[in-house]
Amino acid sequence: NMENNISKSLYWAPRVLSIIFICFLALMSLDVFGSGLSFWQTVVALFMHNLPALFLLVVLIISWKHEIVGGVGFILAGLAYIALLMRNQFEWYLLLWAIQISGIAFLTGTLFLIGWFKKNKKIQT
């Protein structure tokens, strides 16, 4: 019974964490409303700011059944964010941003990979 609870937690943890993370990213895009842009500029800016969240939403939908996609997708998203940050001159606060955003992406991807390995191990035995 304990192993069944761990399996349920391992199944749901990356999915719930993904949903929270995607909502957090979408929430951060709302800063475009304070920019004094026209209506269409705001629409375009909102779309552009939400591309990472939309990409991760597609990854989540696919990885609901195919955990390997979530594992690879979220880890690549974390690496892409670090690469984007490295375009700026180094400041210490960027390190905190990398830990907050990429760290959550890496954790989510790792949880998806653990679930995928665990599922494949059951299939082989």
Side-chain angles (χ1 to χ4, degrees):
N1 193 14
M2 174 94 163
E3 188 172 316
N4 193 20
N5 288 341
I6 292 171
S7 291
K8 277 185 179 179
S9 297
L10 189 57
Y11 178 83
W12 284 107
R15 289 157 176 82
V16 171
L17 191 57
S18 298
I19 292 168
I20 294 168
F21 184 54
I22 292 166
C23 288
F24 171 76
L25 291 177
L27 184 66
M28 294 297 107
S29 73
L30 297 179
D31 67 345
V32 301
F33 289 110
S35 304
L37 301 173
S38 72
F39 174 76
W40 288 112
Q41 288 173 325
T42 302
V43 169
V44 170
L46 197 57
F47 176 74
M48 295 300 290
H49 280 79
N50 276 303
L51 281 177
L54 293 170
F55 169 77
L56 289 177
L57 180 62
V58 170
V59 169
L60 172 61
I61 290 168
I62 295 169
S63 59
W64 206 274
K65 293 285 184 197
H66 307 283
E67 288 91 349
I68 187 73
V69 174
V72 172
F74 276 89
I75 289 171
L76 286 177
L79 291 172
Y81 186 72
I82 290 172
L84 285 173
L85 283 180
M86 290 177 65
R87 294 184 331 177
N88 300 318
Q89 183 175 345
F90 179 77
E91 298 285 342
W92 284 104
Y93 70 88
L94 294 177
L95 191 58
L96 293 175
W97 288 3
I99 291 168
Q100 289 173 341
I101 303 296
S102 295
I104 295 169
F106 292 152
L107 175 62
T108 304
T110 301
L111 289 172
F112 272 122
L113 287 177
I114 291 170
W116 178 74
F117 280 121
K118 189 172 171 81
K119 186 196 288 186
N120 280 350
K121 187 176 165 189
K122 277 185 185 176
I123 291 170
Q124 291 174 358
T125 56

